[in-house]
Amino acid sequence: MNALARHRALSRIWSSEPGWRGVISTVNHSDIGRMFLLVATLFFLIGGVLAMLIRTQLATPHSAFVAPAIYDQIFTMHGTVMMFLFAIPLFEGAAVYLLPKLLGTRDLAYPRLSAYGFWCYVFGGLMLVFAMLAGLAPDSGWFMYPPLSSSAHSPGVNADFWLIGVTFVEVSAIAAAVEICVSILKFRAPGMSLDLMPIFAWYALVTALMILMGFPPLILGSILLELERAFGFPFFESALGGSPLLWQHLFWLFGHPEVYIIFLPAAGVISTVLPVMARTRLLGYRWIVAAAVALAFLSFGLWVHHMFATGIPHMGLAFFSAASTLVAVPTGIQIFAWLGTLWKGQPRLTLPMLYIIGFFFTFVIGGLTGVMVAIVPFDWQAHDTAFVTAHLHYVLFGGFVFPMLAGLYYWLPQFTGRKRFFRIGEMAFWLIFLGFNGAFLAMHWVGLLGQRRRIAWYPEDAGWTEINLMSSISAFIMAIGVAMVVFDIALHALLAIRGSRNPWGAGTLEWAMPTPPAAYNFASIPIVGDREPLAKDPALANKIARGEYFLGAPRGDLRETLTVDAASGRPEALVIFPGNSTLPIALAAATGAAFLGALIRVYWVIPLALLFVVGLSLRWGWSQRQATHSGLQNVGRATLLPQAIETDRSPGWWGSVFLLGADTVLYGSLFFGYAFLWTVGPNWPPPQWLSLSILELALGLIGAAAAAVGLQAAARAVSRGSPPSLGVLLALTGVAITIAALAMTLTRAGQLTDYAYGATIFVMIAYALIHAAIAAIMTSSLAYRTWRGGAARPRTSNVNIVRLWTDYAAFVAATSLIATQFSSYLT
Amino acid sequence: MKEIVRIVIAMLVWLAVFSALYGLEGVGCAAGWHRIPVNGATLFQAAMTIAFFVALLILVAVLVALRAPRFRSASPFVAHISIVLAVAALIAGAWTLFPALALSHCA
């Protein structure tokens, strides 16, 4: 088969359907990545318009432009849109589009999950846009502090739109994070060991792990606050044993790492683009990886620095102040490594490089003001002033938008296959750079003079008028610059001439393919022996196209790729991906219907929608494709590999591990909340404790143990080639007993609206009950497969995945029952 | 996966001991340990001081383990990163938890 015939055959197999049906049924990572990037950019423009409305209001004192109630909605939506609907999805889009190309594979680990995440993002985002257009947008600030956001002070549905819409969007972020982790660890080109991974992949891996650790506390907080608003569960009400500070802890457990979740991918872009622009290799690759990992963990020890003004004891303040200053060290290591790379190379002043220089200038200023606000006495002075607004914009705009614009112009020829012709981008850079600094340097100044954040008006005699006017004019100059970037990109996409395949002379694999990229990425999956394989072997692209590497011979209509050993990059298994499908959008719509039911408080919709979710999920799992023949498969180069679905640890197993990791963080956050209310919350202990029931406890523990043991026996049976009937039956019985025990405890949780204790017990047991129900559904599916037998028989991978979920459900049931049943003995 | 665990373990342990000491501070203050005298100091000060040294000891143990042939990665890349991060975790432990010695009160 020659290169052209191979291209045609692979294009037929991997392409999306034509027309609009292609948009809703595509599962190809390039399509999904482009769609993510496009929608995120639209939200950036919406957030930008909101920012201009804010600056219009603040341009003059006592402005009559908008009333305070509308102003509240505008600044809340500006923060919400930029954080949740622009920054994170832009990273997701970039990762979804780029990672398989950088890693030398054909798609991400779960193509349908990419599509599902994208549609959840779109539907969640539309909810918030609708709220804004209907004048019902959230208005309590992007951090939604209770009691301001509680039903007593925010009685409409505005806050509900935030809690439910943002949580829906977070489903998308969690899905993308699981996908990114598994893709980077398992879906790489053969030979690409951990030390040969492109630096962007390291940053994406660290960021995805942070999302899995950082988002669950906010998801939990949002659920608790919505329960309080909808049903009166008093988690955040001091008079009834709750505490508004609990929300702040849960929010900032997410909120501070979020800053680094936004910065780290941008740092990945810098680490990728800067060496190419400097015509050299990245200096200190190992130190940069270590610094990124350190930064990720340190960022989880900083959350209280947003709460310095809440009256926390001095020792607690000192812990978090020390951690906040320490975070400058790994950041500094990265900056010096980049400067060193520039020093040893021969930099060229291209447009991506201009944006990188803009990044250095603004981000270093943002970092230094960050150290200033990490010092408690200074923070007490600057807290809630425009100084903090200016600081966070220097960090986020400087640390994210500038690098992403550098990345946009760097990868533009890869996206479009065209050569940059128009020079509007350079002019746009200067407008953005000067406008940004004019707007936000001034904001530092007016903040230090005492101007508060989030207040629509300021007095004429405060001496802030000229500074605010200058800030507003500069902001509009910046906006013109952003508009020119959009114009430049549109002109480029429509009118620019065809360019060469690797215009920058880069060494990474995304340039070893035709541009714009074909749907299958690589005609054959290359073998990698260098961090910059294309630099080492300039003929690599031709060899790939000629099918000289793995999977160079397309089979039927199968979408095939390889998994590798996570550490060494040794080929491990053959993966057969599902084809185009409307299941993801249908499942996202069903998920959205459940969220919508909660939002409009038509609660019967929720179980109905969840029924659809379960049905579609089962169909999803059932329709997993596999080759006609089982056993070892020829993947080319005289290599035989098993199918991933027939291995002990299939991609589904890996995904379950990461998803359960996030789930564990959510459960841990719930325990943290329980302990926090117990030790720090006012008005504790409660008037009445849950009494110990030996029956419930014994039933729950026995059921959990039986479920775990049953699945273990089932796994052993399948690995021996026997039907796992007995083990599955034991597991089903165990899960049923556990559900009964949990349900009995749930009914005794007491008056849920009277006191935070009862409400907390209810949520803990309900959490365990939901997981037991998931285990029951999965075990029932296994039982059905066992009963059907033949081609439907359970494979090792099926049993191992169900076992993971059932073991987790057993663990949660046991610990929740112990923690709640013995609570009266812990006083 | 073991290699990823080697890379993240030290900073994960730092995060755990950091959270544990912050939690201990909350429990101690809520339980009134700062009002219970122990050998010229308070129970709170004694608990925080002991916890500080235990935390450092744990971080030292992680560093030693990651250098030991039994747990050290065969990959020079992973070995280097895991040890750098273990040293970083130890420094981070000493720096961020030092207030446990200097400010052992509940004000």
Side-chain angles (χ1 to χ4, degrees):
Chain A
M1 183 181 275
N2 67 24
L4 185 60
R6 182 174 299 102
H7 166 72
R8 284 181 178 152
L10 286 166
S11 294
R12 180 182 54 77
I13 295 168
W14 288 83
S15 291
S16 52
E17 296 175 80
W20 274 104
R21 190 167 166 78
V23 175
I24 60 168
S25 69
T26 184
V27 293
N28 183 278
H29 80 98
S30 292
D31 292 338
I32 302 289
R34 284 189 204 104
M35 285 150 67
F36 253 119
L37 292 170
L38 181 67
V39 177
T41 305
L42 289 175
F43 278 115
F44 177 60
L45 298 178
I46 292 172
V49 169
L50 292 169
M52 292 310 105
L53 297 180
I54 294 172
R55 284 316 319 170
T56 305
Q57 173 73 12
L58 295 180
T60 52
H62 281 296
S63 170
F65 180 61
V66 290
I70 300 295
Y71 184 76
D72 294 347
Q73 292 190 21
I74 291 172
F75 73 71
T76 300
M77 282 304 290
H78 168 68
T80 303
V81 166
M82 289 303 198
M83 288 290 193
F84 296 103
L85 302 179
F86 161 62
I88 301 294
L90 193 81
F91 156 64
E92 289 164 19
V96 166
Y97 180 85
L98 283 173
L99 277 175
K101 297 176 178 68
L102 284 161
L103 296 170
T105 187
R106 285 176 172 163
D107 209 322
L108 290 167
Y110 315 106
R112 292 183 299 187
L113 189 65
S114 314
Y116 171 72
F118 171 73
W119 291 113
C120 284
Y121 162 52
V122 170
F123 294 152
L126 284 177
M127 268 188 199
L128 286 160
V129 169
F130 168 79
M132 199 164 60
L133 294 176
L136 299 170
D139 53 3
S140 314
W142 82 278
F143 38 73
M144 297 294 287
Y145 282 173
L148 181 60
S149 59
S150 298
S151 47
H153 303 284
S154 295
V157 291
N158 307 49
D160 303 305
F161 267 111
W162 191 96
L163 295 168
I164 289 167
V166 166
T167 303
F168 191 18
V169 171
E170 281 166 357
V171 171
S172 159
I174 296 283
V178 169
E179 172 122 75
I180 289 167
C181 288
V182 180
S183 300
I184 292 172
L185 291 175
K186 300 299 292 180
F187 288 74
R188 305 199 299 263
M192 189 184 277
S193 50
L194 287 176
D195 57 320
L196 297 185
M197 277 196 341
I199 192 72
F200 182 80
W202 272 109
Y203 276 105
L205 178 63
V206 171
T207 307
L209 288 170
M210 289 180 74
I211 289 175
L212 294 178
M213 283 176 73
F215 277 50
L218 180 61
I219 293 175
L220 174 70
S222 301
I223 292 169
L224 298 184
L225 187 50
E226 186 55 30
L227 283 173
E228 179 175 298
R229 288 178 54 83
F231 303 110
F233 290 18
F235 299 108
F236 307 108
E237 198 171 324
S238 301
L240 299 176
S243 169
L245 277 188
L246 173 60
W247 168 266
Q248 292 199 28
H249 278 292
L250 292 175
F251 183 86
W252 290 117
L253 266 167
F254 145 82
H256 197 82
E258 160 86 346
V259 174
Y260 295 89
I261 289 170
I262 291 172
F263 166 65
L264 282 172
V269 170
I270 299 278
S271 294
T272 306
V273 176
L274 185 138
V276 178
M277 295 303 126
R279 286 175 278 202
T280 184
R281 290 197 172 211
L282 181 66
L283 186 74
Y285 174 89
R286 293 187 302 180
W287 288 94
I288 288 183
V289 173
V293 174
L295 194 59
F297 279 99
L298 288 172
S299 76
F300 281 93
L302 313 183
W303 82 91
V304 170
H305 84 202
H306 295 271
M307 300 165 63
F308 279 167
T310 57
I312 285 170
H314 285 171
M315 189 196 293
L317 297 183
F319 282 154
F320 288 93
S321 181
S324 303
T325 52
L326 192 64
V327 85
V329 177
T331 313
I333 287 172
Q334 291 169 83
I335 287 175
F336 281 108
W338 294 327
L339 291 176
T341 306
L342 284 176
W343 185 267
K344 79 166 180 162
Q346 293 174 294
R348 44 188 161 168
L349 200 58
T350 57
L351 185 52
M353 195 64 195
L354 271 181
Y355 278 106
I356 289 176
I357 292 169
F359 153 80
F360 274 115
F361 185 83
T362 48
F363 184 73
V364 169
I365 291 176
L368 291 174
T369 53
V371 176
M372 289 165 74
V373 290
I375 308 301
V376 178
F378 183 88
D379 184 78
W380 282 344
Q381 296 302 314
H383 188 80
D384 257 349
T385 67
F387 184 91
V388 177
T389 314
H391 154 69
L392 76 91
H393 280 84
Y394 263 82
V395 172
L396 293 178
F397 201 97
F400 185 74
V401 178
F402 276 116
M404 284 307 191
L405 285 170
L408 170 69
Y409 279 108
Y410 174 72
W411 279 296
L412 198 57
Q414 211 281 343
F415 280 26
T416 62
R418 292 171 190 265
K419 187 177 173 182
R420 215 176 136 248
F421 175 74
F422 301 98
R423 287 290 174 268
I424 303 170
E426 279 77 359
M427 207 189 307
F429 165 77
W430 286 110
L431 289 177
I432 293 173
F433 181 76
L434 295 173
F436 172 82
N437 282 288
F440 290 99
L441 265 178
M443 216 178 275
H444 282 110
W445 181 13
V446 83
L448 287 177
L449 291 176
Q451 185 174 1
R452 315 298 297 168
R453 301 168 72 182
R454 310 185 195 99
I455 307 290
W457 291 328
Y458 54 90
E460 273 177 62
D461 56 358
W464 306 337
T465 308
E466 289 76 15
I467 308 172
N468 270 299
L469 185 62
M470 188 174 85
S471 180
S472 295
I473 292 169
S474 301
F476 275 91
I477 291 171
M478 177 171 69
I480 293 167
V482 172
M484 284 172 68
V485 169
V486 174
F487 185 58
D488 189 31
I489 301 299
L491 279 183
H492 171 90
L494 296 172
L495 300 175
I497 55 167
R498 290 281 308 163
S500 60
R501 184 175 47 74
N502 185 6
W504 306 111
T508 40
L509 282 173
E510 79 275 29
W511 302 102
M513 60 179 67
T515 55
Y520 54 83
N521 284 345
F522 298 97
S524 59
I525 299 192
I527 298 168
V528 169
D530 192 275
R531 213 170 283 153
E532 295 188 10
L534 198 53
K536 191 183 177 193
D537 180 7
L540 183 68
N542 292 336
K543 292 179 186 171
I544 292 170
R546 286 200 297 266
E548 291 184 14
Y549 299 104
F550 290 105
L551 298 174
R555 293 193 299 167
D557 64 344
L558 298 179
R559 295 185 176 188
E560 296 176 310
T561 195
L562 300 178
T563 59
V564 296
D565 171 63
S568 66
R570 177 177 42 80
E572 235 177 29
L574 170 71
V575 174
I576 297 167
F577 283 134
N580 299 319
S581 167
T582 50
L583 256 181
I585 191 171
L587 188 58
T591 314
F595 280 94
L596 201 62
L599 177 67
I600 57 175
R601 300 192 181 174
V602 181
Y603 294 114
W604 61 264
V605 171
I606 299 174
L608 195 67
L610 290 179
L611 213 59
F612 274 101
V613 169
V614 171
L616 291 168
S617 302
L618 288 173
R619 186 173 157 71
W620 183 306
W622 197 261
S623 59
Q624 193 70 37
R625 294 200 63 181
Q626 51 197 287
T628 321
H629 306 292
S630 56
L632 294 175
Q633 311 277 311
N634 184 1
V635 296
R637 296 182 75 89
T639 306
L640 296 175
L641 292 178
Q643 281 190 72
I645 199 168
E646 292 183 332
T647 58
D648 285 350
R649 294 181 174 181
S650 64
W653 185 88
W654 284 97
S656 296
V657 167
F658 285 104
L659 188 54
L660 285 173
D663 207 356
T664 309
V665 176
L666 192 142
Y667 187 49
S669 304
L670 188 53
F671 258 85
F672 165 78
Y674 189 38
F676 178 84
L677 291 181
W678 202 305
T679 53
V680 181
N683 297 315
W684 201 275
Q688 197 181 352
W689 296 97
L690 180 77
S691 59
L692 172 66
S693 162
I694 298 290
L695 176 69
E696 290 166 15
L697 191 61
L699 276 179
L701 294 179
I702 290 167
V709 171
L711 259 302
Q712 194 180 19
R716 278 201 198 128
V718 170
S719 65
R720 285 196 308 267
S722 322
S725 316
L726 273 178
V728 172
L729 192 66
L730 178 63
L732 262 180
T733 313
V735 171
I737 294 171
T738 309
I739 288 176
L742 290 167
M744 285 157 73
T745 308
L746 198 69
T747 55
R748 295 196 303 118
Q751 290 299 314
L752 306 177
T753 55
D754 287 358
Y755 213 81
Y757 168 74
T760 311
I761 297 283
F762 177 86
V763 171
M764 287 179 82
I765 297 295
Y767 176 88
L769 202 51
I770 289 167
H771 284 78
I774 292 170
I777 292 166
M778 293 179 90
T779 315
S780 302
S781 163
L782 212 54
Y784 179 68
R785 281 176 181 269
T786 309
W787 175 71
R788 281 275 300 266
R793 74 187 189 285
R795 313 289 179 108
T796 314
S797 59
N798 301 135
V799 182
N800 284 344
I801 290 169
V802 176
R803 196 177 157 198
L804 265 181
W805 284 89
T806 308
D807 286 355
Y808 182 71
F811 162 75
V812 164
T815 47
S816 295
L817 281 168
I818 291 169
T820 52
Q821 294 279 350
F822 284 109
S823 56
S824 60
Y825 292 89
L826 291 172
T827 52
Chain B
M1 196 62 179
K2 279 182 191 166
E3 300 290 56
I4 298 295
V5 172
R6 283 189 180 98
I7 289 173
V8 299
I9 189 71
M11 290 307 295
L12 198 61
V13 170
W14 168 78
L15 191 58
V17 296
F18 181 78
S19 307
L21 257 77
Y22 181 54
L24 187 68
E25 183 222 9
V27 170
C29 290
W33 293 355
H34 53 293
R35 288 190 291 270
I36 303 171
V38 176
N39 282 344
T42 65
L43 177 60
F44 184 66
Q45 284 171 323
M48 293 307 293
T49 305
I50 291 167
F52 172 79
F53 286 110
V54 169
L56 287 197
L57 210 63
I58 293 169
L59 290 166
V60 169
V62 172
L63 174 60
V64 171
L66 285 169
R67 287 174 57 88
R70 188 173 169 197
F71 297 110
R72 188 187 175 95
S73 170
S75 152
F77 170 76
V78 175
H80 173 84
I81 290 185
S82 59
I83 290 167
V84 164
L85 285 169
V87 173
L90 183 59
I91 294 169
W95 174 253
T96 57
L97 299 176
F98 180 72
L101 301 182
L103 278 169
S104 291
H105 54 75
C106 294

